[in-house]
């Protein structure tokens, strides 16, 4: 059954010029991003040069990666090799798409032929209940890899060629990062890529955050960790809004991810990597806050082949560091993500993937 609010595009709500967002979007007081993120001096935000990282002898860049992974779980990348014209072109085409009239965009609506919700296509994320607080964004969600899993009916022709090209280029970015992460743990370069498999899945998410009349009342995108091994993000070059929950000695706090320099990309560690690495690398919780300006992003989620077992690598498990996650199929995890996301929960918690090691040890 399709929830009655499934068809309400946020862009149309925003265009209505209301003084405040309707109650469906308004967060409970304690969840509101009122306190705002703490801005970090730009220098403190980690940036890694992928070109340098590919040189096994460049210990300095490898150390930067390690520190970014340990303290943030996400980092900006330069030297990524994606042509600047392609990055500009796909952002322009994304803006052009979201600026089209609703009826044109709805040709790619996220519905089955029977009118039921399905994740691929254009619209809002899945609405399950009246209680669910809705995010202030519309999105176009597409499976891009493996190529034979693409559903062309959801692909706007104006984005298709650019997205195909960007898929190939950004996949190389993800692979280079995964190779460097394997090396960071002292493994061969293919350590993680072999676990992902040759036919790993990639989903693309184009998100449009309309201007919001009361940004302090809503989330652009609720707090979550990504359903991915790694995620590669192309962010709006003008407007910020992404925040990460950063742990430090004083506890945890929301920190602004700065607007990146033009043509930089962002890499975020996802849940599947946290599981595979037995938490050597942790997936950061992040969210998006809105403003009175529109904002866009294009996000690529790299996932393992669906039939693969997802579990802590045996090389990273021993008596001092027992397995922290139980084994499950990559597909089970991926499917569970959507159920968890609608509830605002982490998939790891929703599917009870974490192992309570105190029990495991005492019952052994
Ligand atoms: O729009 C952004 O900055 C981030 C989006 C995001 O976190 C996601 O799509 O998973
Ligand atoms: Fe995300």
């Amino acid at each position: 059954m399709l929830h009655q609010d499934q068809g309400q595009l946020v862009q149309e709500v925003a265009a209505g010029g209301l003084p405040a967002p309707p109650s469906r979007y308004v967060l409970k007081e304690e969840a509101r991003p009122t306190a705002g993120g703490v801005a970090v001096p730009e220098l403190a935000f980690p940036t890694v040069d992928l070109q340098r990282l590919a040189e096994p002898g460049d210990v300095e860049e490898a150390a930067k990666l390690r520190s970014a992974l340990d303290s943030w779980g996400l980092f900006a990348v330069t030297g990524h090799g994606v042509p600047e014209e392609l990055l500009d072109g796909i952002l322009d085409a994304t803006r052009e798409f979201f600026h089209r009239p609703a009826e044109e965009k709805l040709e790619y609506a996220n519905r089955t032929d029977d009118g039921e919700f399905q994740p691929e296509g254009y619209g809002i994320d899945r609405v399950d209940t009246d209680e669910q607080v809705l995010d202030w964004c519309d999105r176009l969600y597409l499976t891009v890899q493996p190529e034979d899993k693409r559903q062309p009916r959801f692909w706007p022709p104006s984005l298709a060629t650019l997205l195909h090209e960007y898929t190939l280029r950004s996949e190389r970015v993800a692979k280079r990062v995964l190779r460097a992460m394997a090396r960071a743990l002292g493994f061969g370069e293919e350590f993680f890529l072999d676990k992902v498999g040759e036919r790993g899945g990639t989903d693309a998410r184009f998100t449009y955050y309309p201007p919001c009349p009361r940004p302090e009342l809503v989330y652009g995108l609720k707090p979550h960790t990504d359903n991915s091994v790694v995620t590669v993000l192309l962010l709006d070059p003008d407007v910020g809004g992404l925040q990460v929950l950063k742990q430090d000695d004083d506890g945890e706090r929301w920190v602004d991810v700065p607007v990146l320099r033009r043509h930089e990309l962002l890499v975020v560690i996802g849940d599947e990597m946290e599981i595979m690495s037995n938490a050597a690398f942790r997936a950061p919780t992040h969210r998006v806050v809105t403003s009175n300006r529109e904002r866009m992003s294009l996000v690529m989620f790299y996932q393992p082949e669906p039939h693969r077992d997802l579990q802590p690598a045996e090389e990273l498990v021993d008596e001092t560091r027992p397995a922290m996650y139980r084994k499950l199929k990559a597909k089970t995890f991926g499917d569970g993500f959507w159920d968890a996301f609608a509830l605002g929960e982490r998939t790891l918690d929703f599917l009870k993937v974490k192992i309570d090691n105190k029990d495991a040890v005492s019952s052994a």
Side-chain angles (χ1 to χ4, degrees):
M1 267 290 287
L2 201 61
H3 192 279
Q4 57 179 2
D5 291 330
Q6 191 69 62
Q8 182 67 73
L9 299 168
V10 181
Q11 204 173 350
E12 300 217 299
V13 176
L18 296 168
S23 58
R24 286 304 267 122
Y25 304 90
V26 174
L27 293 161
K28 292 210 182 82
E29 214 151 311
E30 61 276 16
R32 289 180 193 167
T34 337
V38 181
V40 276
E42 213 177 315
L43 276 181
F45 189 77
T47 303
V48 171
D49 182 332
L50 276 197
Q51 188 107 39
R52 286 186 59 179
L53 206 57
E55 309 277 335
D58 197 329
V59 286
E60 196 185 317
E61 210 59 22
K64 265 204 225 167
L65 173 73
R66 190 65 218 231
S67 146
L69 291 166
D70 291 345
S71 56
W72 291 80
L74 82 184
F75 50 90
V77 291
T78 57
H80 50 62
V82 186
E84 297 185 351
E85 310 79 68
L86 178 59
L87 298 174
D88 292 337
I90 201 157
L91 279 175
D92 288 347
T94 302
R95 192 182 307 275
E96 184 276 328
F97 174 75
F98 283 108
H99 282 181
R100 284 192 214 165
E103 44 309 349
E104 281 184 37
K105 287 177 289 199
L106 287 169
E107 285 175 31
Y108 314 100
N110 49 355
R111 300 293 155 79
T112 63
D113 289 338
D114 298 331
E116 290 301 313
F117 175 86
Q118 59 103 54
E120 272 200 75
Y122 167 73
I124 63 169
D125 286 314
R126 200 177 87 193
V127 185
D128 287 347
T129 65
D130 293 343
E131 288 72 44
Q132 195 178 329
V133 178
L134 304 183
D135 291 330
W136 192 258
C137 70
D138 299 326
R139 90 292 190 277
L140 172 67
Y141 195 88
L142 300 169
T143 292
V144 295
Q145 296 277 47
E147 266 185 65
D148 56 14
K149 295 269 189 263
R150 292 182 185 176
Q151 298 201 68
R153 69 184 174 117
F154 295 117
W155 288 54
S158 63
L159 281 168
T161 308
L162 288 161
L163 181 57
H164 175 69
E165 185 64 18
Y166 185 67
T167 298
L168 302 179
R169 298 286 190 155
S170 62
E171 183 178 37
R172 285 189 220 161
V173 175
K175 287 187 168 169
R176 283 161 84 177
V177 169
L178 289 175
R179 291 197 176 101
M181 289 174 72
R183 265 199 273 132
L185 295 178
F187 298 128
E189 293 207 313
E190 303 306 306
F191 184 77
F192 289 119
L193 285 168
D194 284 345
K195 298 184 192 308
V196 169
E198 300 224 319
R199 279 175 54 83
T202 307
D203 293 322
R205 178 185 172 109
F206 299 79
T207 308
Y208 181 79
Y209 306 91
C212 182
R214 295 280 304 278
E216 74 282 10
L217 299 181
V218 308
Y219 288 140
L221 200 59
K222 66 174 81 62
H224 66 280
T225 48
D226 284 348
N227 170 28
S228 71
V229 179
V230 290
T231 311
V232 176
L233 299 89
L234 174 58
L235 299 180
D236 194 300
D238 299 314
V239 183
L242 179 59
Q243 298 182 332
V244 58
L245 190 61
K246 199 163 173 338
Q247 323 277 340
D248 49 33
D249 296 343
D250 307 329
E252 35 177 53
R253 56 187 181 149
W254 288 102
V255 172
D256 287 327
V257 172
V259 173
L260 302 183
R261 287 188 200 84
R262 204 166 272 271
H263 306 130
E264 285 183 358
L265 297 171
L266 187 79
V267 170
V268 175
I269 303 312
D271 280 337
E272 281 92 329
M273 174 55 83
E274 181 167 322
I275 295 174
M276 281 180 186
S277 72
N278 203 25
F281 302 125
R282 285 184 191 266
T285 300
H286 53 286
R287 69 183 185 187
V288 176
V289 296
T290 63
S291 72
N292 57 4
R293 299 175 69 188
E294 67 173 14
R295 179 174 182 273
M296 296 173 308
S297 60
L298 168 54
V299 180
M300 309 289 274
F301 302 95
Y302 294 87
Q303 293 147 358
E305 291 174 347
H307 62 273
R308 294 265 177 161
D309 284 332
L310 194 57
Q311 61 186 329
E314 59 186 31
E315 294 85 341
L316 293 168
V317 175
D318 61 26
E319 279 130 54
T320 59
R321 195 176 174 81
M324 294 172 65
Y325 309 94
R326 68 181 171 86
K327 177 164 86 176
L328 76 174
K329 291 282 178 214
K331 181 175 183 336
T332 308
F333 192 85
D335 292 347
F337 173 82
W338 292 105
D339 297 326
F341 188 73
L343 290 168
E345 284 185 29
R346 228 188 136 181
T347 318
L348 285 170
D349 299 325
F350 179 80
L351 292 178
K352 303 193 170 32
V353 185
K354 284 185 191 152
I355 294 174
D356 183 345
N357 279 305
K358 282 199 279 328
D359 285 358
V361 171
S362 61
S363 66

